[in-house]
Amino acid sequence: VREEFDAESKCASAECNFAGKKVSVVYRNFDGLDAGEYIIGQVLINDQPVDIKIENDKAATIKRDLIGEVSGECVITVELNSL
């Protein structure tokens, strides 16, 4: 929901360990959209676009191998667009 995004940066984030790496996932909601008003527009890993399957505009699956190829910290950015 809109309230979970930072008011200034318009981002929400979470961190975890996966595939032996520290992984940060950042959701960018620059238009301040609420739940049900946005779809996944683009996914980036360390600021580089990745070609992945986005299912029903709502879910993206990133293969473990792709994350394993990243050296150092892995930052996944999910850009949200309006419907």
Side-chain angles (χ1 to χ4, degrees):
V1 294
R2 180 182 299 129
E3 294 78 21
E4 297 200 21
F5 293 88
D6 180 78
E8 287 184 35
S9 69
K10 304 289 188 192
C11 293
S13 63
E15 294 182 352
C16 66
N17 290 308
F18 180 77
K21 297 185 181 296
K22 179 180 176 183
V23 177
S24 300
V25 181
V26 179
Y27 295 90
R28 292 182 180 164
N29 184 10
F30 292 134
D31 294 328
L33 302 167
D34 207 353
E37 298 177 339
Y38 53 76
I39 59 173
I40 296 174
Q42 183 175 19
V43 177
L44 304 103
I45 295 180
N46 292 353
D47 296 321
Q48 299 298 312
V50 291
D51 185 25
I52 60 170
K53 182 179 179 182
I54 298 174
E55 301 167 22
N56 300 320
D57 297 323
K58 298 177 184 177
T61 303
I62 300 172
K63 292 185 179 181
R64 181 185 187 101
D65 295 351
L66 192 56
I67 292 173
E69 293 172 4
V70 174
S71 60
E73 186 176 348
C74 178
V75 179
I76 299 169
T77 304
V78 180
E79 295 182 349
L80 303 175
N81 295 339
S82 63
L83 291 172

